[in-house]
Amino acid sequence: MDGLVIDNVSMVFTLPNGGQVHALEDVSLHLKPGELMAVLGPSGCGKTTLLNIVGGFLAPTAGQALLNGHQVTGPHKERGVVFQQGALFEWMTVAQNVSFGPRMCGVPRAEIKQTVRRLLDTVALRDFADKPVYQLSGGMQQRVALARCLANDPDVILMDEPLGALDALTREKMQGLVLKLWKETGKTIILITHSVEEALFLGERLVVMAPRPGRIHKEYALPFAEQGVGGDARSIKAQPDFIAAREEILSMIWEMEEEIMSGADMG
Amino acid sequence: MAKRKQPPRWGVWLGIADNSFTRQKTVKFGDASAVNSGRLWSVLTLIILILAWWIATIGGIIDPLFWPPLEGSLYPWDNPNRARPGVVDRFVSLFVDGYRNISLWEHVGTSVKRVLLGVVIGALVGIPLGFAMGLNSVARGLFDPIVEFIRPIPPLALIPLVILWLGIDEVAKIFLLFLAALFIMLIAARAGVNSVQISKVHAAYSLGASKFQVLRYVILPNALPEIFTGLRTSMGVCWGTLVAAELVAADQGVGSMMMIAKNFLQTDVVVIGIIIIGAIGFAIEIFMRMLEAWLIPWKGKG
């Protein structure tokens, strides 16, 4: 089967003290090539665990993840990852970070040079190629991370709260960039977020997860990402149906949080 | 709006007036960064120390055996026929003629060379071992007991054994310093490996890096700041250990120079030795800091 298949994945963590945490239970999803899926849920719902399994950093207790028909057993350049922050190599310049993947894979120099120039243009960082990454602002650093991930031309891009550490204004701009890159490159993207608005705006598909054990609670198909490509983010987010969806999901998550709180009280 | 009066530049330089950074702060007590340098008082301390030295040894108030006079010829009431060289004269003569047929530079150079050799060999062995212990369970298991056992032993306590094994020649001293540096470097390298953020390693693997490439391009540069701190520490420790070792047994080096001088009751040479040891230790620290700023500009910015 083409695309990314998450097939009945369960994850039970064993703690050092012998206790167990049921992080995921029977999660199944199928992403067709070129789909953008946002994953939303309260903290502790296992969304990052799910991403780590697809990324190949964790082996699920049961079930499996498959990309284009073969099982995910470890990290691979076919699945690029953008982390929340701090995953850039601060001892390298912007260009060296972006070229890291192709360099490791032995791509010819001239080709790497071209790729880096093209990607730095895409993320509007051309003038910063030779700057060390620690001199860049948080938003610029995440643009470097996006470019670095794209340099390897992966089939799937996994984003773990990529905009979570940014201020509201930068975040909004970056959402536009994510949409633009998605449309231009046609990549399959899974984006983990804890922002309802971001999930609604970016997710062509939106999966809301529930905690304890982590599972899929509800799935939506949304029109906003499609409108957001080249469109005006603010006016889309002000639409009545956007606001209605936002309120619905917010109260859904609110209820889950309440449940967790009362559960914690009793426990 | 009334412009605030600028403090005089000489006041800022002397560290007694607020500079442009500390001036904007209203809370100063408790904010260490808002404390002026007080350079004036540092200069004053130096002057007082030198004055105290001068006064204390005037006309032999303090027996030169316990503390040498600063400058013999400063005391006009002294008997001109009786030579009473002071530290300054002695320093000049050490500088020009050397000590016991060996020039001062040779003494200092010998000591510095021993430290550098000890640290370099210690680093060459310790860093790979530390990496192995951070990355591989066999290496960790094999070396952990040794490291944990030797770590709390001060290098000086190994001197008797080293003398029994290797005698008192050059090899013995460098071996002692090697041991001192080895464990510091090993622990630093291991800490450097442990400090790598797992997301960086994950990112590298996801970008197609092999294990070796992750080691070379992620773990090694990530560990460099810790390794450098280890180098600085082992330089300091080795310098201290060496001087002590030279005091025990050596015919060259700053420590041995002091020990020989002690036998001839030449307190002035002993004091000069102490000053040289302090100055070189300080110079090593400054040099390492500059090297660090130049080589690892990303330190603390990850």
Side-chain angles (χ1 to χ4, degrees):
Chain A
M1 197 155 34
D2 246 15
L4 181 69
V5 175
I6 296 167
D7 176 22
N8 271 309
V9 163
S10 294
M11 187 78 210
V12 181
F13 287 114
T14 305
L15 303 175
N17 63 17
Q20 289 195 326
V21 174
H22 215 136
L24 287 176
E25 191 172 69
D26 288 335
V27 173
S28 291
L29 284 165
H30 176 209
L31 267 92
K32 288 192 278 293
E35 276 188 321
L36 199 177
M37 185 177 80
V39 179
L40 183 68
S43 44
C45 71
K47 48 193 196 296
T48 293
T49 304
L50 183 67
L51 197 92
N52 279 331
I53 289 172
V54 179
F57 309 130
L58 278 176
T61 316
Q64 58 179 348
L66 299 142
L67 180 59
N68 300 330
H70 55 263
Q71 194 183 350
V72 169
T73 53
H76 192 279
K77 68 184 172 101
E78 68 191 6
R79 283 164 279 117
V81 184
V82 179
F83 296 88
Q84 179 171 5
Q85 63 178 136
L88 289 181
F89 307 128
E90 69 265 24
W91 46 89
M92 297 180 189
T93 64
V94 169
Q96 286 170 330
N97 264 280
V98 175
S99 67
F100 185 83
R103 277 192 287 141
M104 295 304 109
C105 304
V107 174
R109 258 164 197 272
E111 199 178 315
I112 293 179
K113 220 173 155 186
Q114 247 184 335
T115 309
V116 170
R117 186 171 302 165
R118 176 173 54 82
L119 286 171
L120 286 182
D121 276 346
T122 311
V123 297
L125 284 175
R126 179 185 230 171
D127 297 338
F128 295 87
D130 297 322
K131 283 260 187 304
V133 283
Y134 58 78
Q135 287 181 1
L136 271 53
S137 68
M140 290 160 112
Q141 290 188 357
Q142 282 311 72
R143 269 143 62 194
V144 176
L146 282 172
R148 182 177 71 173
C149 178
L150 286 168
N152 255 353
D153 200 24
D155 296 331
V156 176
I157 300 179
L158 307 168
M159 301 189 182
D160 188 4
E161 303 198 17
L163 314 181
L166 305 179
D167 65 89
L169 275 173
T170 312
R171 192 168 185 156
E172 197 131 278
K173 277 190 204 158
M174 289 287 290
Q175 290 170 354
L177 179 65
V178 170
L179 283 181
K180 183 181 131 194
L181 290 176
W182 171 55
K183 264 298 145 195
E184 279 176 6
T185 61
K187 302 286 179 202
T188 315
I189 299 178
I190 298 184
L191 184 134
I192 306 279
T193 178
H194 55 241
S195 155
V196 175
E197 197 179 76
E198 185 166 288
L200 281 170
F201 183 58
L202 296 183
E204 183 189 26
R205 288 171 66 187
L206 168 59
V207 169
V208 182
M209 292 182 69
R212 300 190 177 200
R215 61 199 184 275
I216 293 173
H217 183 72
K218 201 161 178 186
E219 203 185 323
Y220 297 82
L222 299 165
F224 308 115
E226 209 52 64
Q227 303 168 8
V229 179
D232 174 26
R234 287 260 45 102
S235 66
I236 292 170
K237 289 178 182 178
Q239 285 172 22
D241 44 347
F242 189 95
I243 293 170
R246 190 182 70 200
E247 293 311 310
E248 180 190 329
I249 293 170
L250 268 175
S251 58
M252 190 193 307
I253 291 179
W254 189 246
E255 266 168 43
M256 289 182 203
E257 297 271 12
E258 294 268 274
E259 225 168 275
I260 296 172
M261 295 302 280
S262 61
D265 286 345
M266 287 187 295
Chain B
M1 204 172 77
K3 200 166 168 237
R4 270 190 297 177
K5 219 179 94 193
Q6 294 283 334
R9 280 182 50 192
W10 54 266
V12 172
W13 189 85
L14 286 174
I16 47 170
D18 283 347
N19 58 38
S20 51
F21 173 72
T22 53
R23 209 150 51 92
Q24 63 204 1
K25 304 217 178 195
T26 54
V27 175
K28 292 184 181 170
F29 186 79
D31 180 352
S33 72
V35 178
N36 291 318
S37 72
R39 191 174 275 133
L40 173 68
W41 309 116
S42 305
V43 174
L44 219 65
T45 302
L46 279 178
I47 293 173
I48 288 173
L49 280 176
I50 292 170
L51 263 181
W53 187 343
W54 188 63
I55 291 169
T57 51
I58 275 179
I61 299 174
I62 290 180
D63 190 330
L65 175 65
F66 297 122
W67 195 258
L70 192 60
E71 168 69 90
S73 53
L74 271 180
Y75 314 119
W77 51 83
D78 267 5
N79 183 350
N81 297 325
R82 209 177 48 163
R84 248 176 53 103
V87 163
V88 175
D89 304 314
R90 174 69 88 174
F91 189 71
V92 172
S93 91
L94 278 178
F95 212 77
V96 177
D97 308 326
Y99 187 71
R100 298 182 71 80
N101 301 324
I102 298 169
S103 79
L104 186 62
W105 286 121
E106 254 174 281
H107 280 298
V108 171
T110 306
S111 297
V112 170
K113 197 183 80 197
R114 286 170 179 157
V115 168
L116 287 179
L117 269 173
V119 170
V120 166
I121 303 174
L124 285 179
V125 179
I127 294 171
L129 273 182
F131 269 59
M133 285 182 74
L135 296 167
N136 179 281
S137 72
V138 175
R140 179 175 297 184
L142 279 176
F143 298 116
D144 224 10
I146 306 174
V147 173
E148 291 304 323
F149 176 69
I150 297 192
R151 195 200 330 219
I153 301 175
L156 288 179
L158 301 173
I159 290 182
L161 199 60
V162 171
I163 290 179
L164 282 176
W165 286 354
L166 297 167
I168 57 163
D169 64 358
E170 209 58 22
V171 179
K173 280 182 202 67
I174 291 169
F175 182 69
L176 180 73
L177 298 186
F178 159 73
L179 283 181
L182 173 69
F183 290 95
I184 296 172
M185 292 314 300
L186 192 154
I187 290 162
R190 187 182 166 174
V193 172
N194 288 347
S195 76
V196 68
Q197 254 178 314
I198 191 61
S199 59
K200 285 183 187 134
V201 174
H202 282 174
Y205 278 121
S206 293
L207 289 163
S210 65
K211 279 183 192 169
F212 173 77
Q213 286 171 327
V214 168
L215 177 64
R216 164 70 185 79
Y217 296 106
V218 181
I219 293 174
L220 176 65
N222 191 81
L224 277 183
E226 308 253 6
I227 288 176
F228 222 88
T229 308
L231 275 177
R232 239 168 64 189
T233 315
S234 44
M235 283 277 194
V237 169
C238 281
W239 181 243
T241 306
L242 172 74
V243 172
E246 285 176 347
L247 290 175
V248 176
D251 49 8
Q252 256 191 47
V254 182
S256 80
M257 180 181 89
M258 289 164 66
M259 218 49 197
I260 297 167
K262 178 216 74 175
N263 291 338
F264 291 96
L265 303 180
Q266 290 166 325
T267 315
D268 47 356
V269 177
V270 174
V271 168
I272 289 172
I274 292 173
I275 294 172
I276 290 177
I277 290 168
I280 290 182
F282 182 67
I284 289 176
E285 176 70 18
I286 296 290
F287 173 73
M288 292 301 282
R289 275 191 216 165
M290 281 164 55
L291 207 61
E292 186 175 42
W294 180 55
L295 288 176
I296 329 179
W298 68 84
K299 185 181 179 178
K301 289 167 181 164

